[in-house]
Amino acid sequence: QTRQTAMYNQPLYSFPQYPTKPPAQMLPNSYPVHPDVHFKRLPFFDVIADLIKPSSLVPLNTHRLQEGTFYFHLTPSQATDIASSRDVRLGTKIEYVKQVQMRFCLLETTCEQEDFFPPNVVVKVNNKLCPLPNPVPTNKPGVEPKRPPRPVNITPLIKLSPTCPNTIHVSWGSDYVRGYAITVVLVHKRTSQDLLQRLKNKGVKHSDYTRGLIKEKLNEDADCEIATTSLRVSLMCPLGKMRMITPCRAITCQHLQCFDAHLFLQMNERKPTWSCPVCDKPALYDNLVIDGYFQEVLSSNDLNSDITEIQLNKDGSWSIHTVEKKPPPPVAKVEKTSADDSIEIISDDVGQSATSTTDKENASEECSKKEKSVVDLTISDSDDDEPLAKRRATNPKPDSTIKFSDTASISS
């Protein structure tokens, strides 16, 4: 027994000891691999699956430029759905309805994060350079231009095969103040018509709600010296300058003026700003409601197509606001004068016709009066009492300071 235990305790193989590679120098602050980051939901994209969960862009050393590589696979059903969703209609841009979308944001877990690109970011998808939104130029010195905050569609660059992995290589400028995160998701792209239908399916805000807001706004100033008895509201959309079809507004807005829902969604489909066109405050899609009060007004039989404004009364009712047409300004009548005082113009080529003899005499008299009214400032004060004709005839007296040649020139 002692012999067997000694035999089993002996090492059978001995491995040579090679020098191990020192680990990469890590920064003192550690980043979680998958932080609890929540990206802000985009109304025009429905998330189907997470291909790469929100991951930290971890700096591996103290260098200014950092690099990171991420991998993901597509399932057979996902690859088939993306390939079959390609829009190949004539006259339209070739685009996938189901897309692979890449997003960046700040490494913050306190609230939902909007898209935010790291500084000097460069992305390669399967060793192909991925086009990113162009930076917006700035005039501030020493400030790097920022890219517009929106997701990146990388569907044309990925491999639609469940057997081949997809590689995303990211290089960015490290920031010692804040970190960044990346995610890749499979989304279904929606149109403005889809969102309009969802808004209609959500329901219409009852007309009594808006009627209560009208009474509240008009009765809150009743104690003031200048009380508001009515309000004027336009039926034209501030975006398209045309009659509203689906009046809506955000529940966060304080005004009663509405805008057309379809035009608002079409504008944000091209450039998503989600700001109210009336008060310029945020009007998110989840806060939009269709106003039943103004929908009843627009569908009323008492409203003609040429009426653009209505008047809201204190009791919550509405009436047609008629604009008084101002009369045209009176036309000044031109009285005909006598033939002697009038001047007739035949044409531009011939010029002005000859005036009457009375006009010529009057003109000559005025010219003679102007000649008599000319005052010679070189004459001394002693000569002012003499007549004007006599002063012109007599020669000026020579001064003792003037030479003989000067007096001769003056007399001549």
Side-chain angles (χ1 to χ4, degrees):
Q1 293 178 357
T2 57
R3 192 176 299 171
Q4 290 178 356
T5 55
M7 181 179 66
Y8 284 111
N9 288 336
Q10 292 178 0
L12 299 178
Y13 303 99
S14 61
F15 298 96
Q17 298 294 328
Y18 295 102
T20 58
K21 185 179 180 181
Q25 184 181 1
M26 297 293 295
L27 294 181
N29 50 351
S30 59
Y31 294 91
V33 179
H34 297 291
D36 190 17
V37 173
H38 296 282
F39 282 80
K40 201 168 186 178
R41 192 180 74 86
L42 302 177
F44 287 99
F45 299 98
D46 295 338
V47 178
I48 300 174
D50 289 332
L51 301 178
I52 296 179
K53 292 182 178 181
S55 305
S56 302
L57 296 179
V58 181
L60 300 177
N61 46 46
T62 57
H63 296 166
R64 180 69 180 92
L65 193 65
Q66 301 292 330
E67 294 181 355
T69 307
F70 305 89
Y71 305 91
F72 69 93
H73 284 79
L74 294 175
T75 63
S77 60
Q78 291 174 351
T80 305
D81 291 344
I82 295 173
S84 61
S85 68
R86 188 174 182 181
D87 190 2
V88 291
R89 291 177 298 174
L90 294 176
T92 59
K93 183 181 178 181
I94 298 177
E95 195 173 22
Y96 293 88
V97 177
K98 293 185 178 179
Q99 303 175 356
V100 178
Q101 194 178 83
M102 179 181 62
R103 301 178 68 180
F104 293 92
C105 76
L106 292 174
L107 191 59
E108 295 287 342
T109 58
T110 54
C111 60
E112 289 186 346
Q113 297 297 314
E114 296 183 351
D115 293 81
F116 195 93
F117 287 93
N120 303 323
V121 61
V122 177
V123 181
K124 288 184 178 181
V125 179
N126 295 323
N127 295 325
K128 295 180 182 178
L129 190 63
C130 178
L132 301 177
N134 295 324
V136 179
T138 179
N139 296 328
K140 297 180 180 179
V143 177
E144 182 186 357
K146 294 183 179 180
R147 299 181 186 272
R150 61 169 179 258
V152 182
N153 180 21
I154 62 173
T155 314
L157 302 176
I158 67 171
K159 300 175 182 177
L160 296 177
S161 173
T163 58
C164 298
N166 290 277
T167 307
I168 296 180
H169 183 268
V170 184
S171 64
W172 75 98
S174 62
D175 194 343
Y176 301 103
V177 180
R178 51 192 176 183
Y180 302 93
I182 182 177
T183 185
V184 177
V185 291
L186 178 64
V187 297
H188 187 110
K189 186 180 180 182
R190 300 296 179 178
T191 62
S192 58
Q193 193 67 36
D194 297 337
L195 295 189
L196 179 63
Q197 190 61 40
R198 287 184 182 180
L199 190 62
K200 291 179 179 179
N201 296 338
K202 191 169 63 174
V204 180
K205 201 75 173 178
H206 202 273
S207 59
D208 292 340
Y209 176 78
T210 307
R211 196 172 285 109
L213 290 178
I214 296 170
K215 293 179 181 179
E216 183 182 352
K217 280 185 173 294
L218 293 178
N219 292 327
E220 67 182 1
D221 298 334
D223 299 334
C224 301
E225 296 180 358
I226 304 175
T228 306
T229 58
S230 62
L231 286 174
R232 286 189 301 172
V233 177
S234 176
L235 300 178
M236 310 294 286
C237 178
L239 291 172
K241 305 301 180 183
M242 55 188 298
R243 178 75 72 90
M244 291 183 291
I245 299 176
T246 309
C248 79
R249 68 171 179 272
I251 57 176
T252 54
C253 295
Q254 303 297 325
H255 51 80
L256 295 172
Q257 178 67 50
C258 295
F259 48 87
D260 189 74
H262 195 198
L263 291 177
F264 182 70
L265 293 174
Q266 281 182 336
M267 182 191 70
N268 285 277
E269 187 177 12
R270 296 180 179 179
K271 186 179 180 182
T273 57
W274 300 107
S275 59
C276 178
V278 179
C279 62
D280 205 25
K281 292 182 179 179
L284 302 179
Y285 175 74
D286 295 333
N287 297 330
L288 295 180
V289 290
I290 298 176
D291 197 305
Y293 183 90
F294 287 97
Q295 205 170 31
E296 292 177 0
V297 172
L298 292 170
S299 59
S300 176
N301 296 326
D302 300 334
L303 200 66
N304 298 329
S305 59
D306 56 345
I307 295 175
T308 60
E309 281 187 353
I310 61 170
Q311 185 170 311
L312 305 178
N313 304 319
K314 294 183 71 172
D315 58 349
S317 61
W318 64 275
S319 57
I320 298 174
H321 177 70
T322 57
V323 181
E324 298 180 358
K325 294 183 179 181
K326 296 182 179 180
V331 180
K333 296 182 179 180
V334 179
E335 297 181 358
K336 294 183 179 180
T337 57
S338 59
D340 295 336
D341 299 335
S342 63
I343 299 175
E344 182 182 1
I345 299 176
I346 299 174
S347 65
D348 295 337
D349 298 335
V350 178
Q352 186 177 355
S353 63
T355 57
S356 59
T357 55
T358 57
D359 295 338
K360 290 182 178 179
E361 291 177 357
N362 295 334
S364 60
E365 289 177 3
E366 290 178 0
C367 291
S368 61
K369 287 179 181 180
K370 289 181 180 179
E371 289 180 356
K372 292 179 180 180
S373 62
V374 175
V375 179
D376 193 355
L377 298 178
T378 59
I379 303 173
S380 61
D381 297 337
S382 60
D383 299 336
D384 291 342
D385 299 331
E386 296 180 4
L388 183 62
K390 188 175 180 181
R391 275 182 282 161
R392 288 181 178 176
T394 56
N395 296 329
K397 297 179 181 180
D399 195 2
S400 59
T401 58
I402 302 176
K403 296 181 181 180
F404 177 75
S405 60
D406 296 336
T407 55
S409 60
I410 291 174
S411 60
S412 60

